[in-house]
Amino acid sequence: MGDRPDQRETEIAAIRAGIAAGARVIDTAEMYGSGRAEDLVGEALAPIDRQQIYLISKVLPENASRQRMAVSLDASLRRLRTDYLDLYLYHWRGNVPLAETVAELQRLQQTGKIRSWGVSNFDIDDLKELWQLPGGDQAVANEDLYHLGSRGLDYAVLPWQREHQLPLIAYSPIAQGDAWGHHLTTNETVKAIAAQHHVSIYQVLLAWVIHQPQVLAIPQTSSVAHMTQNVAAADLTLSPAELTQLDQAFPAPTTKQPLDIL
Ligand SMILES: NC(=O)c1ccc[n+]([C@@H]2O[C@H](COP(=O)([O-])OP(=O)(O)OC[C@H]3O[C@@H](n4cnc5c(N)ncnc54)[C@H](OP(=O)(O)O)[C@@H]3O)[C@@H](O)[C@H]2O)c1
């Protein structure tokens, strides 16, 4: 979002429609459109009470150092037209030592420019390494790819995060509109559950992602209609029988899978 000037008004309308419908979390990153997504979010939020919103942005691996992170953060804040982030995520692991990144995230938290920090695209070994570092267990979230057709996290990451009370932010929760051939939207079980509840297939996919405690879904949409529908998915509760049916149609892996990333 934010890449196409001719779509700007539509995208701003979609973000505001989400907030009007009750969404409170916005996830963006300095990487997205080289800052253009943050700028779009900043414009969309201009007339909105900042306190209502939980604003997340992310620092690129090459900027996650003592020398560069503060500069990146200030640029994000400027584009977002705010003086603080609720959550600043280390977007994915790069060459900067993890201990240095964590120390800098903690230092920036002390300045008040970020209320909390977390990580993204961390696998089980990364999380365990993080927890061994001074202050590493102060991370408040891990953001990984997770949807009904990509359940690698169910094997080790999610059980570990539950045990350590570290929430998961699930990205690509509807598999980018089923763009990767997982056949989620044509699956008979998914279709039948959607018909039963008089909701869309995408709402079923979102309800499945958030049915576990401490799992947040961050679907992306540039459409007001889709946004309103996606927020309403929070009110859809799948029954134990429906969850079992979905589990049978898309089983969790029984062995360790490589971390799915985008
Ligand atoms: N941490 C990371 O490394 C990372 C990586 C990737 C993404 N993310 C975050 O996760 C967010 C979502 O991930 P994503 O964009 O990859 O995938 P996604 O949310 O699974 O899918 C987005 C796609 O689904 C479509 N869509 C959304 N709602 C729909 C609905 N109700 N009905 C039909 N189509 C619908 C959207 O098109 P329309 O615009 O037409 O609705 C868009 O093409 C991103 O915006 C980003 O903030 C994080």
Side-chain angles (χ1 to χ4, degrees):
M1 294 170 78
D3 270 341
R4 291 182 48 188
D6 62 323
Q7 289 299 307
R8 195 168 183 90
E9 290 313 313
T10 308
E11 293 180 341
I12 286 173
I15 293 170
R16 290 182 182 159
I19 295 165
R24 289 294 171 265
V25 175
I26 298 184
D27 179 273
T28 186
E30 65 172 344
M31 185 190 88
Y32 302 160
S34 303
R36 286 186 294 279
E38 287 182 328
D39 185 66
L40 178 85
V41 171
E43 186 176 338
L45 292 186
I48 313 270
D49 174 12
R50 172 69 183 86
Q51 308 290 329
Q52 278 190 44
I53 305 299
Y54 190 92
L55 190 51
I56 306 173
S57 194
K58 312 186 194 76
V59 61
L60 280 164
E62 60 264 34
N63 294 330
S65 64
R66 195 167 37 242
Q67 289 80 13
R68 299 178 70 140
M69 200 190 297
V71 176
S72 267
L73 175 60
D74 282 344
S76 286
L77 293 175
R78 204 165 39 247
R79 287 187 291 265
L80 287 162
R81 302 155 174 74
T82 184
D83 54 6
Y84 73 95
L85 294 177
D86 295 278
L87 176 58
Y88 200 33
L89 297 176
Y90 178 29
H91 206 150
W92 69 88
R93 286 192 75 171
N95 295 328
V96 178
L98 188 55
E100 179 179 332
T101 299
V102 169
E104 187 59 8
L105 286 164
Q106 288 189 294
R107 192 189 68 77
L108 291 174
Q109 190 175 6
Q110 294 298 319
T111 69
K113 290 183 181 178
I114 58 174
R115 296 261 163 103
S116 63
W117 62 271
V119 294
S120 180
N121 295 298
F122 268 41
D123 203 347
I124 185 70
D125 290 341
D126 302 307
L127 292 170
K128 287 178 178 170
E129 186 182 332
L130 176 65
W131 242 242
Q132 295 309 312
L133 294 173
D137 63 358
Q138 298 303 300
V140 303
N142 177 33
E143 180 170 314
D144 279 352
L145 188 154
Y146 185 61
H147 57 74
L148 190 57
S150 180
R151 299 187 55 183
L153 301 187
D154 284 322
Y155 183 71
V157 169
L158 262 174
W160 189 94
Q161 290 198 205
R162 256 195 301 279
E163 191 186 327
H164 294 82
Q165 300 189 338
L166 181 70
L168 175 75
I169 303 171
Y171 75 72
S172 306
I174 55 169
Q176 296 206 318
D178 211 4
W180 301 317
H182 291 289
H183 307 296
L184 301 177
T185 53
T186 51
N187 179 268
E188 292 305 326
T189 304
V190 178
K191 281 163 59 178
I193 293 171
Q196 181 72 27
H197 288 274
H198 306 289
V199 298
S200 82
I201 285 162
Y202 298 97
Q203 288 174 297
V204 174
L205 299 179
L206 287 170
W208 180 83
V209 168
I210 61 171
H211 81 274
Q212 305 176 64
Q214 300 204 350
V215 179
L216 172 77
I218 48 166
Q220 181 267 322
T221 180
S222 303
S223 144
V224 168
H226 290 170
M227 180 70 84
T228 310
Q229 201 185 91
N230 293 350
V231 177
D235 297 325
L236 172 61
T237 304
L238 301 172
S239 70
E242 289 166 338
L243 289 170
T244 302
Q245 288 164 18
L246 291 170
D247 216 32
Q248 285 165 351
F250 297 94
T254 53
T255 56
K256 170 83 179 85
Q257 306 292 307
L259 185 71
D260 214 351
I261 54 171
L262 197 64

